[in-house]
């Protein structure tokens, strides 16, 4: 079954990297994936999104379909506002609680989790650049689109060798956060 | 064995160009084709090739033509506005019969239009990119695999028929990123065609004295084979002429070498047409939506299939004529306001063709095709 996830943020936050790892992990798992990134005149600092399409068979239409996106991660208010319109009813939304405010109307429509992602990367993991891996782990644990093992292994092989250890820690922290959210 | 990698359409074009033996690229950056130029700037020097960013689009096509005259396998890349700027020199490439591969990653137009959005609106331009009479060749990949294979093919056709060849990607195909399986490099090398070389007496060499339907045989410059090159009509040795018999022969040969070799040049794909009542005609990224729509239509008991021209020009005219006779319903969908529809109408002589056309920079999702096809039944 085709599954569609959307990562959004500000250019430079690592949104595209997290998406690329997830897409690669699906291929490593024997499936098919397409990464459809924002292609706009604004990238660095501007609103960025990447749609990750995952399927067991060949993906023909290489874009997310309006109303079928089951999950959205957002780490910037502007991109949250811009890109939420195509979500499925009852989609899961994870926002950075320090950076994105979600209206009561949206909270009624969607399952919204507020997580201080960037704060966690900086102060719990110890390196702000791990925010994309924290977010990736939260995504996988909440949606179960893939097993943590395959994504973890793909991540380890994708990040620069120097930052493997800190990213492993970031992944574990992300999984723990998601488990607590699900237990609530 | 094959080679598997995760990459984009634009990256595959540059990879295939290098593997086809491209050793010269001149360009000027323009969205959404710049990735190709960027890759060539990084990779060409590693293969003893040459890359140059020229002062503008006109300079870049001129540089590529010049390099090709010297025997290089040359390429230039751009998007709509850049192709418009190159158009005069593309005509020079046609009449002088200097091979060249021109990539156009299509974005919305006219003029600067929609720089970052998908379009198929340069299909008409690819047929007649410049003034005068000639027949052009345009290839339009619909998958990542074809971004690779059709780039190889574009170089082969350019060298074989001594003509500019367009490789038309749309922005979606150019930027689509997924896994692709490519043939092994040794197998690709066996497919590569290089231009014919004259080895006879230097004094009697007449590069443009070619039989009808055959290209000129232009030896690379600086090898001792003397001839003249001009954009004016020319005789067998390349010197200008206004002789009406010679001028007509030149045009007959320029158009004939393409149009009368359709059997060799034309490529197309058929999908689920055997039992179909409806033939959907689509190309490039829209053929992917169409394929997905066909699965959904068949779930509803509607027997649809697809004809996908890969060589847009020269068109698969015989196949389109057959489609006109064979199918109860024909449906054309493309990301422009009907540029290929006109060719389908010309070949099929049908006036009952269903259509879905769009030119707002947005792709056509499969369900919209399903709805439109159902509407026409």
């Amino acid at each position: 079954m085709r599954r569609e996830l959307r990562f959004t943020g500000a250019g430079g936050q690592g949104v595209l990297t997290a998406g690329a790892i997830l897409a690669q992990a699906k291929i490593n798992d024997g499936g098919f994936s397409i990464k459809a990134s924002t292609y706009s005149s604004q990238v660095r600092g501007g609103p960025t999104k990447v749609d990750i399409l995952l399927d067991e068979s060949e993906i023909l239409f290489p874009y997310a379909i309006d109303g079928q996106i089951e999950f959205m991660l957002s780490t910037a208010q502007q991109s949250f506002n811009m890109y939420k319109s195509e979500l499925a009813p009852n989609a899961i939304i994870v926002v950075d609680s320090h950076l994105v405010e979600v209206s009561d109307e949206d909270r009624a429509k969607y399952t919204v989790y507020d997580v201080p992602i960037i704060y966690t990367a900086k102060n719990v993991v110890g390196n702000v650049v791990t925010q994309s891996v924290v977010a990736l782990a939260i995504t996988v644990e909440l949606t179960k689109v893939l097993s943590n093992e395959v994504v973890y292994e793909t991540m380890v092989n994708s990040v620069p060798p120097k930052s493997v250890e800190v990213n492993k820690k970031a992944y574990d922290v992300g999984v723990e956060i998601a488990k607590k959210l699900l237990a609530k | 064995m094959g080679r598997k990698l995760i990459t984009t359409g634009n990256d595959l074009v540059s990879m295939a160009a290098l593997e086809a033996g491209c050793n010269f690229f001149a360009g000027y950056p323009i969205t959404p084709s710049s990735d190709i130029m960027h890759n060539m700037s990084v990779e060409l020097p590693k293969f003893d090739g040459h890359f140059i960013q020229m002062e503008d689009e006109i300079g870049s096509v001129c540089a590529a033509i010049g390099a090709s005259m010297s025997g290089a396998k040359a390429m230039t890349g751009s998007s709509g506005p850049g192709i418009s700027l190159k158009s005069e020199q593309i005509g020079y490439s046609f009449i002088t019969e200097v091979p060249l591969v021109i990539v156009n990653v299509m974005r919305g137009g006219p003029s600067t239009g929609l720089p970052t959005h998908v379009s198929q609106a340069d299909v008409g331009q690819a047929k007649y990119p410049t003034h005068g009479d000639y027949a052009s060749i345009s290839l339009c990949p619909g998958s990542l695999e074809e971004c690779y294979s059709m780039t190889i093919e574009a170089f082969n056709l350019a060298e074989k028929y001594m003509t500019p060849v367009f490789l038309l990607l749309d922005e979606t195909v150019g930027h689509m990123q997924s896994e692709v399986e490519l043939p092994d490099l040794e197998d690709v090398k066996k497919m590569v065609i290089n231009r014919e070389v004259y080895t006879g007496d230097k004094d009697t060499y007449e590069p443009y004295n070619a039989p009808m339907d055959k290209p000129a045989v232009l030896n690379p410059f600086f090898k001792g084979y003397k001839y003249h090159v001009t954009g004016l009509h020319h005789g067998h040795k390349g010197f200008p002429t206004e002789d009406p018999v010679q001028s007509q022969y030149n045009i007959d040969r320029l158009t004939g070498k393409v149009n009368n070799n359709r059997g060799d040049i034309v490529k197309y794909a058929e999908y689920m047409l055997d039992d179909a009542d409806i033939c959907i005609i689509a190309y490039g990224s829209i053929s992917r939506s169409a394929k997905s729509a066909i699965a959904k239509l068949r779930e509803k008991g509607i027997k649809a299939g697809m004809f996908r021209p890969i060589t847009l020009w020269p068109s698969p005219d015989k196949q389109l004529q057959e489609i006109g006779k064979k199918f109860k319903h024909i449906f054309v969908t493309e990301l422009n306001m009907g540029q290929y529809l006109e060719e389908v109408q010309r070949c099929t002589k049908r006036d009952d063709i269903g259509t879905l056309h769009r030119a707002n920079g947005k792709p056509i999702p499969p369900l919209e095709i399903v709805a439109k096809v159902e509407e026409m039944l």
Side-chain angles (χ1 to χ4, degrees):
Chain A
M1 193 188 81
R2 176 164 165 146
R3 300 187 69 174
E4 302 185 354
L5 292 84
R6 173 169 287 182
F7 294 0
T8 76
Q13 283 179 328
V15 159
L16 300 183
T17 309
I21 295 172
L22 191 57
Q24 168 84 58
K26 181 70 182 179
I27 290 168
N28 291 353
D29 199 41
F32 293 79
S33 70
I34 279 192
K35 177 171 81 84
S37 328
T38 325
Y39 188 62
S40 77
S41 45
Q42 248 189 332
V43 179
R44 279 170 200 87
T48 306
K49 87 166 153 93
V50 55
D51 289 337
I52 307 298
L53 319 177
L54 309 170
D55 209 333
E56 304 312 316
S57 55
E58 190 194 358
I59 298 170
L60 292 167
F61 184 62
Y63 295 103
I65 295 166
D66 204 349
Q68 287 191 21
I69 302 164
E70 62 174 279
F71 175 90
M72 181 167 96
L73 168 87
S74 193
T75 52
Q77 188 73 50
Q78 196 189 355
S79 36
F80 173 78
N81 297 344
M82 261 176 93
Y83 297 126
K84 66 180 179 181
S85 66
E86 291 169 314
L87 298 184
N90 303 320
I92 299 170
I93 297 179
V94 174
V95 293
D96 190 305
S97 49
H98 291 176
L99 296 168
V100 181
E101 274 183 34
V102 182
S103 68
D104 290 342
E105 193 189 334
D106 284 335
R107 286 183 189 279
K109 255 202 266 184
Y110 307 112
T111 308
V112 182
Y113 296 110
D114 306 80
V115 183
I117 298 169
I118 293 171
Y119 177 90
T120 304
K122 196 173 171 188
N123 298 297
V124 180
V125 182
N127 188 337
V128 72
V129 302
T130 64
Q131 59 181 282
S132 57
V133 172
V134 173
L136 176 69
I138 293 171
T139 306
V140 174
E141 185 63 28
L142 287 180
T143 61
K144 311 275 190 229
V145 283
L146 279 164
S147 72
N148 275 317
E149 288 70 31
V150 72
V151 180
Y152 186 85
E153 203 188 316
T154 308
M155 180 276 294
V156 167
N157 291 318
S158 306
V159 298
K162 274 186 188 168
S163 65
V164 167
E165 288 311 313
V166 73
N167 275 304
K168 281 181 175 175
K169 187 178 171 190
Y171 199 94
D172 294 339
V173 167
V175 170
E176 282 314 306
I177 290 170
K179 279 186 173 157
K180 280 181 195 157
L181 293 173
L182 289 171
K184 272 183 192 171
Chain B
M1 280 288 285
R3 297 173 284 171
K4 278 190 176 179
L5 62 155
I6 294 173
T7 185
T8 67
N10 279 353
D11 288 351
L12 282 162
V13 168
S14 37
M15 180 181 175
L18 292 163
E19 296 188 351
C22 174
N23 54 0
F24 188 90
F25 187 100
Y28 188 79
I30 182 167
T31 295
S33 77
S34 298
D35 320 327
I36 297 170
M37 176 174 166
H38 177 81
N39 292 337
M40 296 306 266
S41 74
V42 174
E43 296 299 323
L44 265 175
K46 296 181 194 167
F47 292 83
D48 286 331
H50 295 275
F51 168 87
I52 185 163
Q53 176 174 328
M54 293 297 286
E55 72 275 21
D56 59 23
E57 297 280 3
I58 300 170
S60 64
V61 69
C62 289
I65 291 170
S68 183
M69 284 174 179
S70 301
K73 276 195 171 180
M75 185 186 206
T76 186
S78 194
S79 295
I83 303 294
S84 295
L85 286 163
K86 292 178 195 294
S87 67
E88 185 188 1
Q89 296 308 318
I90 292 171
Y92 186 79
S93 173
F94 275 116
I95 197 165
T96 57
E97 300 185 64
V98 173
L100 177 66
V101 175
I102 305 161
V103 192
N104 177 359
V105 187
M106 293 183 283
R107 67 191 222 183
S111 189
T112 37
L114 294 164
T116 62
H117 294 273
V118 65
S119 160
Q120 297 178 325
D122 303 346
V123 165
Q125 182 196 39
K127 185 181 184 189
Y128 288 125
T130 188
H131 63 277
D133 277 305
Y134 49 87
S136 61
I137 302 178
S138 304
L139 304 171
C140 184
S143 65
L144 291 178
E145 281 79 4
E146 280 182 3
C147 286
Y148 181 89
S149 62
M150 287 305 113
T151 303
I152 305 278
E153 182 66 11
F155 275 97
N156 283 349
L157 291 172
E159 294 278 312
K160 190 171 179 185
Y161 292 100
M162 300 297 281
T163 185
V165 173
F166 277 101
L167 190 61
L168 286 179
L169 272 66
D170 55 53
E171 187 273 329
T172 298
V173 169
H175 285 136
M176 203 163 71
Q177 184 176 34
S178 193
E179 190 177 43
V180 64
E181 187 167 358
L182 304 177
D184 285 323
L185 187 55
E186 305 88 79
D187 296 330
V188 174
K189 293 288 177 199
K190 285 178 207 154
M191 292 188 272
V192 168
I193 295 172
N194 293 315
R195 71 189 77 168
E196 201 181 314
V197 177
Y198 173 82
T199 53
D201 180 25
K202 287 179 180 173
D203 293 332
T204 55
Y205 175 46
E206 290 186 325
Y208 292 104
N209 187 9
M212 196 50 70
D213 301 343
K214 295 279 184 197
V217 180
L218 301 182
N219 279 13
F221 282 172
F222 318 120
K223 304 274 185 196
Y225 291 86
K226 292 176 190 166
Y227 59 100
H228 190 256
V229 179
T230 174
L232 293 166
H233 269 272
H234 42 262
H236 296 332
K237 199 83 178 163
F239 287 99
T241 179
E242 289 183 349
D243 177 63
V245 175
Q246 180 69 40
S247 303
Q248 188 62 53
Y249 158 84
N250 289 344
I251 295 299
D252 288 345
R253 202 169 54 72
L254 280 188
T255 51
K257 72 177 180 179
V258 173
N259 287 333
N260 296 331
N261 287 303
R262 278 175 197 246
D264 180 50
I265 296 169
V266 164
K267 277 161 197 65
Y268 57 88
E270 294 179 341
Y271 179 69
M272 299 188 96
L273 281 179
D274 286 347
D275 66 338
D277 299 319
I278 302 161
C279 176
I280 299 176
I281 298 173
Y283 52 88
S285 67
I286 299 306
S287 68
R288 307 177 66 85
S289 295
K291 213 169 169 182
S292 182
I294 287 163
K296 293 179 202 309
L297 285 163
R298 283 185 174 258
E299 278 169 23
K300 296 179 173 200
I302 299 168
K303 286 183 186 168
M306 176 168 64
F307 180 81
R308 177 168 69 90
I310 299 171
T311 315
L312 295 182
W313 313 113
S315 73
D317 56 355
K318 283 201 177 66
Q319 290 74 19
L320 289 170
Q321 283 162 19
E322 286 306 310
I323 285 167
K325 289 178 203 155
K326 191 174 167 194
F327 292 95
K328 197 173 168 197
H329 302 284
I330 301 172
F331 186 89
V332 176
T333 178
E334 46 186 336
L335 280 180
N336 56 54
M337 296 316 291
Q339 295 183 15
Y340 212 68
L341 172 65
E342 286 182 16
E343 181 66 7
V344 176
Q345 286 168 331
R346 183 185 76 80
C347 295
T348 61
K349 300 193 170 36
R350 292 267 292 258
D351 59 4
D352 61 344
I353 297 172
T355 62
L356 176 53
H357 288 91
R358 172 169 302 166
N360 64 355
K362 295 288 171 201
I364 300 177
L367 283 177
E368 287 191 37
I369 298 176
V370 170
K372 271 282 179 185
V373 168
E374 284 183 307
E375 226 173 75
M376 102 182 250
L377 297 179

